[in-house]
């Protein structure tokens, strides 16, 4: 994922530097106001924020779509409803619930099922927690796995994070916003405020400049009392702010290269600082930095409909937002011994080629796509997308070590069936692919049942912060009570996919990963008599699929339902969903 890099602060003129310093001073005053609010008052404030987001939802989605070259009739414009206002409204609802519970003296985990995951881990069943989510997203569940050794009692005792000590100020933090998904910058701000009691200065990525007026209207309830300031600017603004003595923390969503430039600097000076272990950044930093996400396809006996559906699923993982996602699936891992591998490859080529055309809009994408085409001259180039199928003897390193952040999808193989394949594929993902942010796995119900406990052991062995089984990790991103971030263990010396987590609306401590489980088959093939023991889903095709014929109208309708709660509107939306 790409964000703003740094350069010399001297590039700023005195007036701009003064304006930034005034914003920081206002936020310092805001920290005192925030610390004086009770948790109940904070919940009330979030309701006002929610009203602001609801009022701007249509403007938000249409502005975002236009900024990415999607006109009002484009079939994929619904992505900007789901990944923008819908995500933020869901997060606000979940945070309001957590704060309301704390204000009443109720633990955020009361009524939430906790049990054990392999390896001495506590597992929090964090989705679904409401009746409407159980209905609308039937077949999907989500778990947060805590680090080994944390007991259920310890998890309950720590739930709430900084909201357990609301009078203790966390100071003022800097959020360097992502440039690709419009909900990310403001979700990061909410986490700073609620998990850490830090007011926040948000510097938006220049790709999001058109959203700044929308953000300011939507979040006026946080801006007016001094809890949030939003600024534009390029590298010079970023450099001035990261070195500002009154900002106590930095959070960035971007690239590892940008992270290293912030922490160590650039050129020979950066190399010297690394050798001497003297980072130029003198404050703590957290980060979400992307990576190369695997899609493990476990061999089984699939129907033609299964093959078609899951091929479209994979095409969605890569092509949503034109591949400009840190969670875009990039490397499909197939079994070289799967009897249906050739049929699946053919279906994947069709799904990848037939997805609607769209602009490749993120800066630098054309050059990254060209680098993939140069590394693999035999790749299938389909205008706005590239498909690389690694053959025997080909070097997979460029594909597996480069986050293209563009519509480039690759296929690699490892041998084996059943548990042998799954263990080999997990090892390949862990050891060969760059990063630890998200991993996806597709497996039919009969094969999963046959693997038994071995399947859970394999999932435990995957070193990723978000894992989706028969789903896409984007579902974990959009679900506020799950967590989002790299697998623990990275440091500023070797940052990988980042440090820390966000979202986490239950405010859990000691998080290791989140695990999403979804339906292998859509409705009506998800019905028990047809599904072979799989999960029931009422969705014929999820609205986020790039192949969904009604995805745009359904995504808008679901967001409007979040805003109004209108049952007749929801019924109309569900009828459209049945036509997907």
């Amino acid at each position: 994922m790409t964000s703003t890099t740094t350069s010399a602060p001297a590039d700023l003129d005195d007036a701009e530097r003064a304006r930034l310093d005034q914003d920081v001073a206002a936020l310092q005053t805001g920290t005192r106001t925030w610390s004086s609010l009770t948790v109940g008052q904070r919940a009330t404030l979030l309701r006002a924020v929610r009203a602001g987001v609801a009022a701007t939802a249509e403007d938000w989605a249409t502005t975002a779509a236009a900024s990415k070259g999607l006109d009002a009739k484009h079939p994929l414009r619904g992505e900007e409803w789901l990944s923008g206002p819908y995500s933020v409204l869901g997060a606000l609802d979940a945070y309001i619930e957590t704060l309301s519970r704390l204000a009443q003296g109720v633990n955020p985990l009361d009524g939430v099922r906790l049990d054990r995951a392999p390896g001495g881990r506590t597992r929090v069943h964090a989705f679904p927690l409401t009746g409407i989510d159980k209905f609308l997203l039937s077949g999907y569940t989500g778990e947060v796995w805590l680090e080994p050794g944390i007991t259920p009692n310890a998890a309950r005792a720590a739930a709430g994070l900084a909201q357990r000590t609301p009078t203790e100020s966390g100071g003022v933090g800097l959020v360097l916003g992502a440039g690709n998904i419009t909900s990310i910058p403001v979700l990061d701000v909410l986490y700073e405020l609620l998990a850490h009691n830090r007011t926040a200065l948000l510097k938006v990525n220049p790709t999001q400049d058109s959203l700044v007026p929308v953000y300011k209207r939507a979040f006026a309830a946080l801006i007016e009392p001094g809890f949030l300031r939003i600024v534009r600017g390029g590298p010079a603004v970023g450099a001035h702010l990261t070195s500002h003595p009154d900002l106590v923390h930095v959070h960035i969503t971007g690239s590892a290269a940008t992270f290293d430039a912030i922490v160590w600097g650039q050129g020979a000076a950066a190399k010297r600082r690394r050798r001497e272990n003297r980072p130029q950044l003198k404050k703590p930093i957290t980060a979400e930095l992307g990576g190369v996400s695997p899609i493990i396809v476990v061999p089984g006996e699939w129907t033609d409909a299964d093959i078609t559906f899951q091929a479209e699923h994979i095409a969605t993982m890569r092509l949503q937002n034109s591949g400009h996602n840190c969670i875009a699936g990039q490397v499909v891992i197939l079994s070289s011994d799967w009897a249906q591998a050739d049929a699946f490859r053919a279906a994947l080529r069709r799904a990848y080629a037939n997805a609607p055309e769209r602009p490749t809009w993120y800066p630098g994408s054309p050059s990254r796509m060209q680098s993939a085409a140069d590394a693999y001259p035999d790749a299938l180039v389909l205008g706005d997308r590239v498909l690389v199928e690694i053959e025997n003897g080909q070097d997979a390193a460029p594909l597996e070590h480069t986050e293209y952040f563009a519509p480039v999808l690759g296929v690699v193989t490892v041998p084996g069936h059943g548990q042998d394949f799954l263990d080999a594929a997990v090892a390949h993902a862990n050891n060969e692919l760059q990063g630890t942010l998200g991993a996806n796995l597709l497996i039919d119900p009969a094969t999963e049942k046959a693997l038994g406990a071995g399947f859970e052991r394999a999932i435990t062995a995957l070193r990723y912060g978000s894992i989706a089984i028969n789903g896409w990790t984007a579902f974990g991103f959009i679900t506020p009570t799950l967590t989002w971030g790299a697998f623990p263990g990275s440091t500023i010396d070797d940052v990988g996919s980042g440090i820390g987590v966000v979202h986490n609306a239950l405010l859990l401590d000691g998080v290791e990963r989140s695990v999403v489980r979804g339906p292998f088959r859509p409705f009506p093939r998800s019905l028990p008599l047809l599904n072979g023991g799989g999960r029931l889903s009422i969705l014929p095709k999820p609205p986020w699929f790039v192949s969904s014929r009604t995805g745009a109208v359904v995504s808008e309708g679901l967001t409007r339902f979040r805003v109004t709660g209108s049952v007749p509107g929801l019924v109309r939306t569900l009828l459209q969903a049945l036509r997907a």
Side-chain angles (χ1 to χ4, degrees):
M1 186 173 290
T2 306
S3 187
T4 308
T5 56
T6 60
S7 66
D11 293 344
L12 287 180
D13 61 38
D14 290 343
E16 190 170 12
R17 187 178 293 107
R19 284 194 295 272
L20 294 171
D21 291 347
Q22 288 171 0
D23 284 330
V24 175
L27 289 166
Q28 285 185 301
T29 301
T31 62
R32 294 191 288 273
T33 306
W34 180 255
S35 297
S36 71
L37 296 181
T38 66
V39 175
Q41 289 171 326
R42 294 174 183 187
T44 299
L45 177 64
L46 290 187
R47 292 185 183 96
V49 176
R50 190 191 193 284
V53 173
T56 58
E58 182 170 359
D59 194 14
W60 184 327
T62 55
T63 301
S67 74
K68 298 178 181 183
L70 305 179
D71 62 32
K73 296 183 179 179
H74 198 284
L76 298 180
R77 68 189 183 278
E79 292 176 358
E80 300 309 315
W81 285 89
L82 286 183
S83 65
Y86 180 91
S87 295
V88 176
L89 288 165
L92 286 165
D93 287 342
Y95 281 129
I96 289 167
E97 175 65 20
T98 293
L99 266 60
S100 297
R101 284 175 166 237
L102 289 167
Q104 297 163 10
V106 177
N107 192 286
L109 293 179
D110 280 5
V112 177
R113 184 161 66 95
L114 278 67
D115 62 12
R116 293 294 194 173
R121 293 168 172 85
T122 290
R123 172 168 48 194
V124 181
H125 292 266
F127 180 88
L129 298 179
T130 68
I132 194 65
D133 283 340
K134 290 177 184 177
F135 173 67
L136 290 178
L137 296 166
S138 56
Y140 288 89
T141 58
E143 309 153 8
V144 179
W145 292 21
L146 305 183
E147 293 177 343
I150 297 177
T151 65
N153 283 341
R156 293 185 184 93
L161 296 179
Q163 298 312 301
R164 301 179 67 84
T165 54
T167 61
E168 296 180 11
S169 172
V172 183
L174 171 64
V175 173
L176 298 174
N180 60 328
I181 296 293
T182 61
S183 64
I184 294 176
V186 291
L187 290 175
D188 291 347
V189 164
L190 290 173
Y191 199 65
E192 287 290 289
L193 197 60
L194 298 170
H196 304 292
N197 277 339
R198 279 196 287 264
T199 59
L201 196 158
L202 168 62
K203 192 197 85 64
V204 299
N205 188 291
T207 62
Q208 305 280 15
D209 277 353
S210 64
L211 268 294
V212 169
V214 177
Y215 288 155
K216 287 186 174 179
R217 294 200 310 274
F219 292 89
L222 294 181
I223 293 171
E224 291 167 2
F227 305 147
L228 170 64
R229 287 292 185 271
I230 302 173
V231 300
R232 296 180 174 94
V237 172
H240 176 68
L241 294 173
T242 55
S243 62
H244 199 291
D246 294 329
L247 294 173
V248 302
H249 181 271
V250 176
H251 178 79
I252 176 175
T253 298
S255 69
T258 302
F259 178 93
D260 286 344
I262 292 169
V263 174
W264 302 104
Q266 296 175 312
K271 293 179 180 178
R272 184 178 65 254
R273 291 189 189 101
R274 280 186 178 274
R275 286 196 305 270
E276 298 171 355
N277 194 28
R278 291 189 302 106
Q280 72 172 9
L281 185 70
K282 305 302 182 185
K283 61 197 69 171
I285 183 170
T286 52
E288 190 267 274
L289 305 175
V292 176
S293 293
I295 307 165
I296 298 172
V297 180
V298 182
E301 295 184 10
W302 293 15
T303 67
D304 290 344
D306 293 336
I307 289 173
T308 298
F309 179 78
Q310 295 300 348
E312 292 178 2
H313 198 176
I314 291 175
T316 296
M317 295 181 197
R318 180 71 261 184
L319 295 177
Q320 199 270 356
N321 197 30
S322 200
H324 308 317
N325 289 334
C326 58
I327 49 175
Q330 182 166 306
V331 175
V332 180
I333 303 177
L334 288 181
S335 169
S336 56
D337 298 321
W338 188 23
Q340 295 177 291
D342 288 344
F344 188 80
R345 286 173 180 269
L348 183 57
R349 294 184 201 112
R350 287 193 299 272
Y352 202 62
N354 291 338
E357 293 185 5
R358 63 184 305 161
T360 304
W361 62 271
Y362 203 86
S365 295
S367 64
R368 290 191 294 274
M369 292 177 68
Q370 186 60 51
S371 73
D374 291 344
Y376 301 102
D378 293 331
L380 182 62
V381 179
L382 301 163
D384 64 339
R385 62 202 67 164
V386 177
L387 178 62
V388 178
E389 297 188 57
I390 299 294
E391 304 296 341
N392 289 338
Q394 271 191 305
D395 182 11
L399 176 68
E400 296 182 331
H401 298 170
T402 306
E403 183 191 8
Y404 288 111
F405 211 68
V408 177
L409 179 68
V411 181
V412 303
T413 59
V414 300
H417 294 285
Q419 194 70 50
D420 289 341
F421 166 80
L422 182 54
D423 291 342
V426 166
H428 189 92
N430 284 341
N431 299 329
E432 303 300 331
L433 273 59
Q434 185 270 325
T436 64
L437 184 62
N440 312 275
L441 189 146
L442 305 176
I443 183 169
D444 67 89
T447 301
E448 182 177 347
K449 183 178 180 180
L451 293 177
F455 179 74
E456 288 299 310
R457 287 197 301 271
I459 297 302
T460 306
L462 266 174
R463 296 194 299 270
Y464 287 84
S466 182
I467 298 171
I469 303 159
N470 291 331
W472 177 25
T473 50
F475 189 95
F477 171 89
I478 207 172
T479 303
T481 48
L482 299 180
T483 59
W484 187 251
F487 195 78
S490 296
T491 66
I492 61 170
D493 297 301
D494 183 13
V495 71
S497 289
I499 300 169
V501 299
V502 290
H503 304 181
N504 188 23
L506 294 173
L507 299 177
L508 303 173
D509 197 16
V511 169
E512 183 185 67
R513 72 184 84 186
S514 285
V515 179
V516 170
R517 302 174 195 261
F520 180 73
R521 298 183 173 100
F523 185 85
R525 293 188 302 112
S526 64
L527 291 171
L529 292 178
L530 305 174
N531 201 11
R535 290 166 169 244
L536 171 67
S537 174
I538 66 167
L539 291 173
K541 184 178 289 187
W544 55 86
F545 268 42
V546 293
S547 55
S548 172
R549 292 180 299 180
T550 59
V553 66
V554 172
S555 298
E556 179 179 345
L558 289 174
T559 307
R560 293 191 183 281
F561 173 71
R562 276 281 185 190
V563 169
T564 66
S566 168
V567 173
L570 178 61
V571 171
R572 289 192 295 271
T573 297
L574 292 178
L575 290 174
Q576 291 290 338
L578 293 173
R579 299 177 53 245

